[in-house]
Every structure is written in C-alpha cells, then in structure tokens.
C-alpha cells in the first residue's frame, strides 16, 4: 500500500497536547502529575492499549502481564503507551450472559477512543464476546487499531486422551448423567481440562472469532493460533505494539482497508474452521460497524462449497495446540486461498496474499494433520446451514459439521418448553412424554426474551434417553449455543418468540419438519391456524425497568441483524476536542 506518512502536527493527540492555551496546559500538567517527562508524550504517537484483563476472567489472566510486552514494543517504536482497562467478559463467569454486554464493551471501546487523546489502539481480548465487542467499537471510532488475541489454553490429558474446554465438559457431563462416570472422577476432571490461562482450546467462539478477525486483516499473521502460554505469544504482543506505531504514521485506519472483500475473507475462514454458530451474529455486527451490510444469505452464499479443513473439536478431533503445530491460521488460509480475495490489505500494510506467500516460502510444518487439504476435508457438510420456513421467516442457523447425519432430514412431534426454568424442572422427569424422534423446543431464549440470547440452545437430552443410549436429538430454540458444543441444534430462530415470531405459537404435539439440505424449517400448520393462534398471543413484559439491560431490550436487533443497536452501526470521524 502506498504510504504518505503523517506529520507530528497531524496527530490527533496533538489537539490535546500542543496548543498554547489553558486546556492544553492542564492536559500536559496532568500527564506530568503521573511522573511523565514532557518529552515522553509531546512528540510521539499516543497509543491506547484497551485491555480486557480482570481477576474474574480466566481466559485473560495473562493479559495484564502481556500488556507490558505490548508497551515495550510501542516504546521501542517511538510511541507512548497508555493502558485503558475495559469491561472484561469472562464467558463462564458473567451472568445472565456475556452476549448482553458485547454491545456495552463496543460502546465503551468506541467512547474510550473517542474521548481521549489517542492516535492508535491495541485491542487485547479473545474470550468470546470480547473480540467482536472490541472490534465493533474500534471500527466505529475508525482510528488505527491492531488486535492482540489472548491465545488458546494448553491441552490437558485424561485417560491417555488429549482433552480441552467446552466440548469435553459436555461429553463428560452426558456420561456422568448417564451414570457412566463416578463422582470422584467427575471432581478430578473439574481441576483439569483447563490447565492454564488462555481461551477455550476447541474451535469454539473464541478461536473462531479471533481467526475471522485475523483473516479480515486486524492482527499480525498467525497471531491468533499461538497458545497463550507460548513464548511466541509474548513476542507477538511486543511486535503488535511496535506495528501500531507505524500504522499511526501511515494513517492505516480501518476505513482504509476494511471492506466487503475482507468481510468475505472472514466468512471463508469461518467455514474452513468449522467455526461456532455465534460467529454468524458477530460477523454481521462487525460488518455493520464498517458500513458493510451483511445478511445470513450472504454468509451462506460466500460459505457455500467451503469444506471444513480444521480437524478441531467440535467438528474434528484435535485441539487448538495441535492446530498451531500444523501451521495455525496461515496454513489454513493457504489451504483455502483460491476462495480468498488476496489483494485485501492488512494491518501489516501488506496484502493477505503477500502474508500467505511469506508463510508458504518459510519452513512448512511436517507430519501435522490437524489441518486437512481441500481434497480430504474433515467434513463436506459445512460449518453453517441457514434455514427458513414458516417457523423461522427471517432465518435460523444450524452447524451441520457438528450435527448427526441421520437427523439432517427429520420430522417429529414437538415438545415445547416456554422457558428455561420450565425446561430445567421437567427435562429429566421419568414421566416426560419423549422419545428419540421428539423435537425439543425452547422459546424465550432470544435477544429480547431471555434477555441477551444465552447459550441455552444445546438443550439437554432427557436422562431416560441418555440411559437408553441416545446422544443426539433435534432441538430448536431462539437462543444461541456454545461454539464448543455439538448436536443437531437449530438456533437463532428469527423473529424470536418474545418478538412474536411463529416460535411463540407452536404447541406440544405439533409436527415439525427439518430439512438442512433444502434449508427448511417448518411446522405443519396452515397460515390460517397460525393466524388464529396469533390472536391469543401477548408480548411478555420488559423484564427490566432500568439500567443498561432496559436499553438493551429496547434497542437490540434480532439475531439475523447481528444483535447490535441500530444507533451504533457505521462509523464517523472522532469529534474535534476543540469544540469543547
Ligand atoms: Fe473464555 Fe471459552 S470461556 S474462551
């Protein structure tokens, strides 16, 4: 990319620091109050490090220390770092769900960048919602930014097998409920499986999203696959700090390189990874912040014919550490390069194609098969199926590569739960009228209804069916599912039941038909019957009367629109501080 470097006087931070007036006097005075010398901030780009570290965020436990490596890189490149803590969304700790706070983090990121004398930003995150939250905010602020992924945790072993977070927890839980695991083993598993800081080591939402963001051009090449506890991770942090300073002088802000083609590169990557269904929502939201309108049909069109190449749970059999040994994301991108727009520019200032070529000309890993070739994929079935029909007029999704082939076309009697509380109270009852062909339905799990669209969509298999050997059933909800989970789960039904979607109208005993190949999800009811039932339907009251969750329920869009707030899509130039 042809570069005309910025002059010092053109830096955004200089509007705060350079003028000879009383406001700027106060800005300089207060920085010196913190022990800084005038020379340390007067003639350097000011870099904000937005860090989502917290003591209650296990996946980011190392980011406080890694911020020091980022600062080292910034200082060595002639910039001045300032660390800015932001809301930390530890996926397993935050209730009711981190999804409700993704937009909060995006707003916080945007406003931190907008309100402070920042020339460029390093975004530190990785646990599921932190990646889209940070990037959505940075896209809206449109300042040069680079993403530093937290990196996946290390593998553990149990009974001679490599085990990791999420997918194995679910597998072991089903065996525990079925009575195949004793309590002492269950308790010992609790202290294992997540043996070091870092994000989930399956291809869950965390690794899916960081990889998508890398393919869109927002990280150094290969950054997202490096295990959190590898020394390369610290070096990547330092290199990212060094690079953001160059990006500021080059004015390499997102609006100069983020476009529809970079979004589509993210989608191709998502499919080849066998990534999390959650990525469909986040990718639409990220694209919207960059003024790229994106629909579920766009994702289905771009992703069509892209097989799953990453042999990583839950679609495959390995973990992220194995993916790294096989060459990590650069190796995967090399495998699908015929589907990518190679001329897209990245934070390096070079194109995605140039970055892939650099990887290919280096030493390729030998004998590691966690990344398969195009002619021998893990699955031809694809990472995302988009469904429509009279049960999901605006769309629903399923992950075929993590579902059971025999359930891809299925007709069964609905067993409907009105709420998660009702489901939890009844699902394991010995009297439950259910068999392996029943379609389990949960409503009230959508963006408004829950609220926040929690990961309830992997409805538990009733205990009596588990004991009989059943391990999968068709399950339907307007909720999401953890990217680490698997099963024939139809998710994100839109419009959701709380918004009056047809999901609100079905009853136990109705026949439901799923046909993934045909992209259909229907209830065998006439339009007249649905209209009759609609006359009796009443919208549930807003569950929260105050605060952020009230704002969320009033403003959030449906899953097919990315669950963003309408008033936050798009970006605009940062406000001139001299106005105030
Ligand atoms: Fe943080 Fe899975 S809980 S990435």
């Amino acid at each position: 990319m042809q570069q005309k470097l910025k002059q010092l006087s053109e830096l955004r931070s200089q509007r705060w620091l350079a003028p000879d007036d009383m406001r700027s006097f106060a800005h300089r005075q207060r920085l010196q109050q913190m022990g800084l010398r005038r020379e340390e901030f007067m003639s350097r780009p000011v870099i904000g490090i937005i860090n989502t570290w917290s003591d209650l965020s296990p996946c980011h436990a190392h980011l406080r220390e890694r911020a020091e490596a980022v600062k080292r890189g910034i200082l060595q490149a002639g910039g001045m770092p300032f660390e800015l803590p932001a809301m930390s969304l530890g996926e397993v700790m935050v209730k009711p769900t981190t999804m409700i706070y993704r937009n909060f983090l995006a707003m916080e990121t945007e406003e931190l960048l907008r309100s402070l004398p920042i020339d460029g930003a390093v975004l530190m995150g990785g646990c599921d919602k932190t990646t889209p939250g940070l990037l959505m905010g940075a896209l809206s602020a449109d300042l040069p930014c680079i993403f530093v992924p937290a990196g996946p945790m290390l593998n553990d072993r149990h009974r001679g097998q490599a085990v990791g977070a999420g997918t194995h927890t679910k597998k072991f839980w089903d065996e525990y409920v079925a009575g195949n695991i004793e309590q002492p083993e269950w308790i010992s598993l609790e202290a294992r499986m997540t043996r070091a800081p870092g994000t989930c080591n399956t291809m869950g939402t965390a690794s899916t999203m960081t990889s998508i963001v890398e393919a869109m051009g927002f990280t150094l090449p290969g950054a997202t696959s490096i295990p959190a506890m590898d020394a390369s991770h610290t070096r990547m942090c330092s290199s990212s700090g060094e690079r953001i300073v160059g990006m500021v002088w080059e004015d390499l802000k997102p609006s100069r390189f983020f476009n529809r083609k970079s979004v589509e590169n993210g989608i191709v990557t998502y499919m080849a990874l066998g990534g999390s269904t959650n990525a469909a929502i986040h990718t639409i939201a990220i694209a919207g912040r960059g003024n790229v309108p994106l629909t579920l049909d766009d994702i289905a069109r771009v992703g069509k014919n892209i097989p799953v190449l990453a042999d990583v749970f839950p679609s495959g059999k390995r973990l992220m550490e194995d993916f790294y040994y096989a060459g990590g994301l650069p190796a995967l991108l090399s495998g699908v390069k015929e589907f990518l727009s190679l001329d897209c520019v990245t934070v390096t200032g070079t194109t995605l194609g140039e970055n892939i070529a650099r990887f290919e000309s280096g030493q390729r890993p030998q004998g590691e098969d966690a990344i398969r070739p195009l002619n021998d994929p893990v699955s031809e079935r694809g990472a995302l199926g988009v469904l429509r029909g009279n049960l999901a007029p605006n769309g629903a999704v399923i992950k075929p590569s993590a579902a059971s082939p025999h359930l891809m076309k299925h007709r069964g009697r609905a067993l409907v739960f009105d709420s998660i509380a009702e489901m939890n109270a009844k699902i394991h009852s010995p009297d439950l009228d259910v068999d392996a062909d029943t379609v389990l339905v949960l409503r009230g799990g959508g963006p408004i209804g829950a609220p926040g669209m929690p990961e309830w969509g992997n409805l538990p298999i009733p205990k009596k069916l588990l004991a009989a050997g059943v391990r999968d059933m068709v399950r339907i909800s307007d909720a999401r599912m953890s990217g680490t989970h698997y099963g024939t789960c139809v998710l994100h039904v839109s419009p959701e039941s709380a918004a009056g979607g047809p999901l609100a109208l079905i009853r136990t005993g109705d026949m439901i038909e799923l046909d993934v190949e045909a992209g259909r999800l229907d209830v065998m009811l006439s339009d007249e019957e649905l209209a009759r039932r609609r006359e009796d339907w009443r919208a549930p009251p807003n569950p929260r009367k105050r605060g952020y969750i009230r704002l969320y329920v009033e403003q959030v869009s449906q899953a097919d629109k990315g669950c963003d707030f309408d008033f936050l899509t798009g970006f605009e130039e940062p406000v001139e501080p001299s106005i105030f």
Side-chain angles (χ1 to χ4, degrees), residues 373-450:
L374 267 180
N375 59 9
D376 182 24
V378 175
S379 169
E380 300 270 12
R381 281 186 280 140
L384 191 81
V386 175
L387 308 168
R388 286 181 198 280
N390 71 353
L391 195 46
N394 294 348
V397 302
I398 188 169
K399 184 172 183 174
S401 59
S404 300
H406 73 280
L407 293 173
M408 293 286 93
K409 189 172 166 65
H410 182 80
R411 189 181 169 118
R413 193 181 65 91
L415 174 57
V416 181
F417 300 104
D418 280 326
S419 67
I420 190 79
E422 184 195 352
M423 184 194 76
N424 286 338
K426 295 180 178 172
I427 193 79
H428 295 307
S429 164
D431 304 328
L432 196 69
D433 183 13
V434 66
D435 61 33
D437 290 332
T438 303
V439 175
L440 301 178
V441 178
L442 173 67
R443 57 185 164 216
I448 299 171

Side-chain angles (χ1 to χ4, degrees), residues 59 89-92 126-128 153 165 198-200 206 484:
C59 305
L89 299 174
E91 187 65 26
V92 291
C127 191
D128 299 19
M153 66 180 79
T199 51
C200 288
T484 63

Side-chain angles (χ1 to χ4, degrees), residues 165-177:
T167 308
H168 286 96
T169 305
K170 177 80 177 90
K171 280 184 189 294
F172 289 135
W173 172 250
D174 283 349
E175 297 309 318
Y176 180 56
V177 173

Side-chain angles (χ1 to χ4, degrees), residues 4-327:
K4 177 181 167 300
L5 296 185
K6 271 190 164 182
Q7 301 297 307
L8 177 67
S9 61
E10 295 174 300
L11 292 183
R12 185 169 175 267
S13 59
Q14 291 290 305
R15 300 181 211 157
W16 274 259
L17 302 174
D20 187 17
D21 58 24
M22 199 180 77
R23 292 294 295 158
S24 295
F25 170 84
H27 298 145
R28 295 189 294 268
Q29 179 191 43
R30 292 301 178 150
L31 288 174
Q32 291 178 74
Q33 181 183 9
M34 295 191 293
L36 295 175
R37 288 177 290 117
R38 217 170 184 264
E39 311 79 70
E40 288 184 272
F41 58 83
M42 282 300 288
S43 57
R44 297 160 173 257
V46 174
I47 308 297
I49 302 170
I50 302 197
N51 194 350
T52 53
W53 168 87
S54 101
D55 268 340
L56 276 176
S57 202
C59 305
H60 296 180
H62 55 308
L63 291 188
R64 190 184 216 180
E65 168 207 320
R66 296 304 152 80
E68 298 306 314
V70 173
K71 288 177 189 172
R72 193 171 76 229
I74 293 169
L75 287 166
Q76 285 173 349
M80 186 62 203
F82 291 92
E83 191 175 347
L84 310 169
M87 188 176 200
S88 187
L89 299 174
E91 187 65 26
V92 291
M93 293 292 176
V94 175
K95 294 191 188 312
T97 162
T98 52
M99 183 64 185
I100 213 165
Y101 297 113
R102 183 201 67 182
N103 295 351
F104 190 105
L105 175 61
M107 291 170 80
E108 186 183 14
T109 301
E110 178 179 351
E111 300 309 329
L112 279 171
L113 296 178
R114 199 183 295 288
S115 61
L116 292 168
I118 303 290
D119 296 308
V122 178
L123 312 170
M124 300 188 75
C127 191
D128 299 19
K129 311 305 179 296
T130 57
T131 302
L134 287 164
L135 198 66
M136 287 159 69
L139 278 162
S140 294
D142 198 29
L143 293 176
C145 63
I146 190 167
F147 184 73
V148 169
M153 66 180 79
L154 299 174
N155 295 354
D156 200 352
R157 296 190 80 76
H158 178 70
R159 294 180 183 269
Q161 274 194 331
V163 293
T167 308
H168 286 96
T169 305
K170 177 80 177 90
K171 280 184 189 294
F172 289 135
W173 172 250
D174 283 349
E175 297 309 318
Y176 180 56
V177 173
N180 299 330
I181 288 182
E182 298 294 323
Q183 203 181 38
E185 183 178 358
W186 178 243
I187 289 173
S188 94
L189 281 167
E190 192 177 280
R192 301 173 61 91
M193 295 168 65
T194 51
R195 68 186 256 249
T199 51
C200 288
N201 52 358
T202 48
M203 192 54 74
T205 305
S207 287
T208 304
M209 286 314 304
T210 56
S211 300
I212 288 174
V213 161
E214 176 170 334
M216 287 175 172
F218 285 99
T219 74
L220 293 181
T224 59
S225 318
I226 305 171
M229 291 297 109
D230 194 298
S232 299
H233 193 271
T234 309
R235 293 195 291 272
M236 177 273 292
C237 290
S238 163
S239 299
S240 300
E242 183 180 55
R243 178 61 197 142
I244 187 63
V245 179
M247 289 175 70
V248 169
W249 291 123
E250 294 159 21
D251 197 23
L252 190 53
K253 53 191 180 183
S255 57
R256 291 189 56 208
F257 68 91
F258 182 74
N259 53 38
R260 179 163 291 278
K261 287 200 294 184
S262 39
V263 169
E264 292 186 353
N265 284 342
I267 295 168
V268 169
T269 305
Y270 168 21
M271 298 300 143
L273 291 169
S276 161
T277 44
N278 286 325
I281 299 175
H282 300 317
T283 304
I284 289 171
I286 289 170
R289 293 300 185 102
N291 288 342
V292 178
L294 191 73
T295 65
L296 281 174
D297 293 332
D298 291 331
I299 298 178
R301 174 182 51 79
V302 175
K304 200 165 184 269
N305 303 326
I306 312 281
V308 177
L309 301 187
D311 191 4
V312 180
F313 283 106
S315 297
K317 295 272 179 288
R318 312 295 179 86
L319 293 163
M320 284 305 293
E321 202 179 320
D322 310 303
F323 185 75
Y324 174 63
Y325 297 142

Side-chain angles (χ1 to χ4, degrees), residues 545-565:
K545 299 280 178 251
R546 62 178 299 279
Y548 171 75
I549 294 180
R550 174 176 168 172
L551 173 80
Y552 184 90
V553 170
E554 289 173 355
Q555 299 292 334
V556 70
S557 66
Q558 289 289 290
D560 62 302
K561 299 279 190 295
C563 297
D564 201 358
F565 298 152

Side-chain angles (χ1 to χ4, degrees), residues 294-371:
L294 191 73
T295 65
L296 281 174
D297 293 332
D298 291 331
I299 298 178
R301 174 182 51 79
V302 175
K304 200 165 184 269
N305 303 326
I306 312 281
V308 177
L309 301 187
D311 191 4
V312 180
F313 283 106
S315 297
K317 295 272 179 288
R318 312 295 179 86
L319 293 163
M320 284 305 293
E321 202 179 320
D322 310 303
F323 185 75
Y324 174 63
Y325 297 142
L329 196 69
L332 183 106
L333 295 176
S334 170
V336 290
K337 68 181 175 186
E338 66 191 77
F339 300 103
L340 297 169
S341 295
L342 298 174
D343 57 343
C344 286
V345 172
T346 72
V347 290
T348 56
T350 52
T351 64
L352 187 67
E354 288 168 318
N355 296 347
I356 293 172
R358 195 164 300 133
F359 166 78
E360 289 172 339
S361 66
Q363 201 176 4
R364 302 289 298 266
Q366 300 288 318
E368 303 291 346
D369 56 0
I371 300 173

